[in-house]
Amino acid sequence: MPLEEVVVSATRWEQIRSSLPQRLISVSPEAVRLYQPQTTADLLANTGQVFVQKSQQGGGSPMIRGFATHRLLYAVDGVRMNTAIFRGGNIQNVISIDPFSLQRTEVLFGPGSVIYGSDAIGGVMSFQTLTPMFSDAGLQAHGKAAARFSSANLERTGHFDINLGGKRWAWLGSVSYFHFDDLRQGAHGPREYLKPWIVETAPDGTDQAVRNPHPKVQNPSGYNQRNVMQKLRFQPTKAWDLQYAFHHSQTSDYGRYDRHTRLRKGLPRYAEWSYGPQIWRMNQFTVQHQSDNPLFNRATLRAAWQHFEESRIDRSFGKAIRTAQKEEVEAYSLNLDFSKAWGKHTLYYGVEGVCDDVSSSAKTTDIQTKEEGPAASRYPQAQWFSLAGYAQAMLRLHRSLTMELGMRYNHFALRADFRNWGMTLPFPSKVTSSHGAFSGGVGWAWQPNKRQRFTLHYARAFRSPNVDDMGKLFDSVDRAVVVPNPRLHAELAHHVEVGLEQRFGNWLQMTLTAFYTYLDDALVRRPFRWNGQDSILYKGEQSQVLALQNAAWAQVYGVQMHVKAQLPAGFEFKSFINAQKGKEQLEDGTSSPLRHAAPLFGRVSLNYRNKAWHAEFYTDFQARRAYDELADEERGKVEIYALDKEGQPYAPGWLTLNAKAAYDFRFPLTLHLGLENLTNRRYRPYSSGISAAGFNVMAAATYRF
């Protein structure tokens, strides 16, 4: 049996996967139907190759090859989702994407800066949503309705989508609603993960820590979310394809659970800490044109306007002052991409323009008197601009050898206005920054026969400082505050990977990829002086001053291994193992383990398929990370880790046993059943501030028409 020839589009163009020199995986709709992920973060975790961290139930921050957050890129229908306030801390934006609306999900491992520009250092997560489909038989309608329940958080989810298609016009509508109660963790595991107290606030504003009657229930962690998507497609001729898309996602308020477990002097650090509604809205207009002319065979224009909104509400235990910060970003982007084939070779090229307009505000409220007052906002009023051009060639040097060669130049500009910020600044109240960055790559894919494939890839990637890097004010840890630093420039990454795919007979396939990435001029938090002072009064407390600075290097290396075996009687065995090690430079010149390089993790599964049944028994696992293997900045976070025999924080290893099944009836109804964490283990994925679900029963039904 030959190696699989899969068409992928994470590189913005549909290409045969075997011709690409980088590792890339595709999540099939069949896998999504079987696993029934509650969020798109869970969908990524179910691949067994993307590690997902959570600080609260309403979240999910992917880690890929030692990088995370703003060093990874998210793309929805070819449009970058990353904004100028994507931060180095954990982010939750991926949950805004409705897993029911996805047609295809792909993960490109390693740099993707040639196509996507800034941030694409560790990888690219490409989400392709449902496309309206035409009908040659006149107006026709088809769609699906789904409902799901899960016991660990009393999930109640409903979804409906419909496609109306004619010969030239098609419309698609999708709506989903998700409701999650507080998440119950397992019964067997570290006692440190239990929460023995909760905070109650009396009508007069007095806080009291009282005994938690249900310490395995992680309170507060519940939330709800709704998603709406509409698409309209028009194809006047075979050469033209026009599409308009509208996406809207909005959550309720949801507690940041790890802040609710933090103590100070034996009492809760916070009485309140929650994120306000997370809102994402996108209007997108896409035009595709096919033509056989000297400049291109295919051209695609993507124009998008995205609106992002998030907020943070916190109040210290025993204090009457509540602080609320709100951030809004209007993100405008325009992409014009071309492809041109010359014989066996193909050239991809294009230009991109991005503008992010950041608005930030803050206020305080006395919960006793209801009196409101001003507060320092998280960000200044700012604009971030990017203008780029790129070219990438796919050269067929031989029937068995393909070479990929690409280059991109990006120019960035940032304007920030601190005049209404409410603090005395050690720099001008209006700040302007402008710089550029080159990225590029070269790779080879050699397939000497239908059973073997070898790859080699080198890439230079970058991440430009954004508004979050240059202009943020926030309390990162107890009695420490991060302040703005406008004197930053891009961090650069050099990446090498080699890969081997080998098929043995008609039943066994193995894939092995090794990689190494070196990050130079890395943006890291370091002690800083603000108006000549190394500490300032912030939120009523004297706090150490920190700021992001281009002051370190980081490196990460590792291997990814995938084994798939076709067994008799409809069975299939699969395993994914991911191992990575990383370190970063500290202020004194020594090094520390890299925070986002996850411990060894993976998945092993046994699948069964016949005409009606699809079932899978699988185990997810993570290796132990001892105290001396934790990143230096992680060792002080005792509230999120277990304690070893010396009383030091560490991340225990864990393994779960799970089973999923789906049955297709003869009429268009599918029933789904899942039994997760069968041993009811109490565990937390590395660096997470909330435990995963304990024993969970999932039941769902999907009706197609």
Side-chain angles (χ1 to χ4, degrees), residues 629-648:
E629 297 175 314
L630 289 176
D632 190 67
E633 63 181 299
E634 291 291 287
R635 294 175 184 175
K637 299 177 181 178
V638 294
E639 70 273 7
I640 70 172
Y641 289 107
L643 299 179
D644 61 20
K645 294 180 180 179
E646 288 74 36
Q648 303 284 16

Side-chain angles (χ1 to χ4, degrees), residues 193-507:
Y193 295 166
L194 297 175
K195 187 182 177 187
W197 46 265
I198 57 175
V199 174
E200 291 185 351
T201 303
D204 64 355
T206 303
D207 296 322
Q208 185 178 5
V210 301
R211 178 181 172 273
N212 185 358
H214 305 288
K216 292 194 290 291
V217 176
Q218 299 174 99
N219 173 13
S221 61
Y223 77 104
N224 59 70
Q225 177 175 331
R226 61 181 183 271
N227 285 72
V228 176
M229 181 181 75
Q230 293 194 59
K231 288 188 174 183
L232 182 63
R233 186 180 178 191
F234 176 52
Q235 194 174 55
T237 68
K238 291 184 178 180
W240 291 91
D241 195 329
L242 289 75
Q243 189 173 151
Y244 166 76
F246 170 78
H247 301 260
H248 176 82
S249 173
Q250 182 169 341
T251 70
S252 64
D253 291 4
Y254 53 96
R256 178 165 171 174
Y257 183 75
D258 62 342
R259 296 296 175 96
H260 286 271
T261 61
R262 184 174 293 181
L263 296 174
R264 188 171 65 181
K265 297 181 180 180
L267 292 173
R269 171 67 179 87
Y270 294 100
E272 300 177 45
W273 213 117
S274 64
Y275 289 105
Q278 177 174 290
I279 299 174
W280 170 63
R281 189 179 301 121
M282 180 168 75
N283 290 272
Q284 181 187 4
F285 182 63
T286 303
V287 180
Q288 292 186 350
H289 178 55
Q290 298 187 44
S291 175
D292 189 10
N293 64 59
L295 295 179
F296 63 86
N297 300 120
R298 186 175 178 182
T300 303
L301 173 70
R302 295 181 179 90
W305 165 39
Q306 298 179 82
H307 171 82
F308 297 83
E309 184 175 322
E310 58 187 50
S311 53
R312 295 161 179 81
I313 304 98
D314 69 86
R315 183 174 62 84
S316 297
F317 183 84
K319 304 291 185 181
I321 300 300
R322 176 193 295 125
T323 301
Q325 296 176 320
K326 181 179 179 180
E327 288 74 52
E328 294 181 89
V329 180
E330 306 298 332
Y332 308 92
S333 62
L334 184 66
N335 293 83
L336 186 56
D337 301 296
F338 302 91
S339 69
K340 176 62 180 178
W342 281 292
K344 298 179 180 180
H345 312 306
T346 305
L347 175 66
Y348 307 96
Y349 63 101
V351 293
E352 177 187 71
V354 177
C355 174
D356 287 359
D357 192 348
V358 178
S359 177
S360 185
S361 61
K363 68 177 182 179
T364 61
T365 304
D366 189 314
I367 65 169
Q368 296 174 341
T369 67
K370 309 303 180 183
E371 182 180 352
E372 294 186 352
S377 61
R378 184 177 174 90
Y379 302 114
Q381 308 307 301
Q383 295 81 39
W384 183 84
F385 306 92
S386 169
L387 184 62
Y390 77 93
Q392 182 165 283
M394 186 67 71
L395 307 176
R396 188 83 171 185
L397 303 180
H398 184 268
R399 60 180 177 83
S400 61
L401 180 63
T402 303
M403 177 181 179
E404 183 183 85
L405 182 66
M407 180 171 287
R408 179 189 184 100
Y409 176 74
N410 245 113
H411 185 78
F412 300 93
L414 185 150
R415 294 200 301 258
D417 188 344
F418 292 88
R419 285 178 299 176
N420 297 321
W421 208 41
M423 294 185 68
T424 303
L425 306 173
F427 49 78
S429 58
K430 287 188 176 182
V431 173
T432 301
S433 174
S434 179
H435 61 278
F438 278 101
S439 58
V442 59
W444 294 267
W446 179 42
Q447 190 168 334
N449 54 60
K450 294 183 178 181
R451 298 180 182 271
Q452 287 181 316
R453 191 169 79 99
F454 302 89
T455 59
L456 173 64
H457 184 247
Y458 164 79
R460 170 180 159 132
F462 69 97
R463 191 181 72 80
S464 170
N466 61 20
V467 175
D468 183 85
D469 299 313
M470 291 187 171
K472 176 168 59 180
L473 176 72
F474 85 117
D475 51 332
S476 60
V477 293
D478 204 16
R479 290 190 170 88
V481 59
V482 176
V483 300
N485 178 16
R487 300 177 183 88
L488 301 176
H489 55 267
E491 51 186 15
L492 301 174
H494 299 272
H495 173 86
V496 177
E497 75 174 69
V498 294
L500 166 66
E501 289 186 53
Q502 176 71 56
R503 180 172 287 277
F504 301 91
N506 292 325
W507 67 281

Side-chain angles (χ1 to χ4, degrees), residues 422-624:
M423 294 185 68
T424 303
L425 306 173
F427 49 78
S429 58
K430 287 188 176 182
V431 173
T432 301
S433 174
S434 179
H435 61 278
F438 278 101
S439 58
V442 59
W444 294 267
W446 179 42
Q447 190 168 334
N449 54 60
K450 294 183 178 181
R451 298 180 182 271
Q452 287 181 316
R453 191 169 79 99
F454 302 89
T455 59
L456 173 64
H457 184 247
Y458 164 79
R460 170 180 159 132
F462 69 97
R463 191 181 72 80
S464 170
N466 61 20
V467 175
D468 183 85
D469 299 313
M470 291 187 171
K472 176 168 59 180
L473 176 72
F474 85 117
D475 51 332
S476 60
V477 293
D478 204 16
R479 290 190 170 88
V481 59
V482 176
V483 300
N485 178 16
R487 300 177 183 88
L488 301 176
H489 55 267
E491 51 186 15
L492 301 174
H494 299 272
H495 173 86
V496 177
E497 75 174 69
V498 294
L500 166 66
E501 289 186 53
Q502 176 71 56
R503 180 172 287 277
F504 301 91
N506 292 325
W507 67 281
L508 180 63
Q509 181 175 337
M510 297 182 63
T511 303
L512 181 66
T513 307
F515 62 90
Y516 172 84
T517 305
Y518 182 85
L519 186 66
D520 198 14
D521 283 339
L523 291 169
V524 291
R525 294 175 194 165
R526 292 286 187 263
F528 196 67
R529 300 188 76 84
W530 185 265
N531 290 317
Q533 304 296 316
D534 60 6
S535 66
I536 61 174
L537 191 66
Y538 182 67
K539 292 185 178 180
E541 297 180 350
Q542 198 68 23
S543 301
Q544 180 191 11
V545 175
L546 305 173
L548 283 177
Q549 302 168 53
N550 292 99
W553 52 261
Q555 61 180 358
V556 60
Y557 58 91
V559 296
Q560 293 177 280
M561 185 171 69
H562 171 40
V563 176
K564 182 170 71 172
Q566 298 290 341
L567 304 177
F571 286 93
E572 180 185 68
F573 170 84
K574 291 191 295 185
S575 72
F576 302 96
I577 298 177
N578 310 268
Q580 49 271 308
K581 291 284 187 179
K583 60 182 180 179
E584 61 181 341
Q585 185 182 27
L586 298 178
E587 182 185 3
D588 61 2
T590 61
S591 63
S592 163
L594 189 63
R595 174 190 175 192
H596 289 130
L600 182 142
F601 72 96
R603 169 173 290 198
V604 177
S605 65
L606 181 66
N607 285 268
Y608 172 74
R609 290 182 178 86
N610 67 17
K611 292 182 179 180
W613 279 100
H614 183 190
E616 181 173 317
F617 179 79
Y618 63 96
T619 174
D620 290 324
F621 58 88
Q622 174 209 289
R624 181 180 189 268

Side-chain angles (χ1 to χ4, degrees), residues 36-55:
Q36 290 289 310
Q38 292 187 341
T39 69
T40 301
D42 298 328
L43 182 155
L44 292 169
N46 282 331
T47 65
Q49 301 175 76
V50 176
F51 194 89
V52 173
Q53 180 275 355
K54 290 186 178 183
S55 297

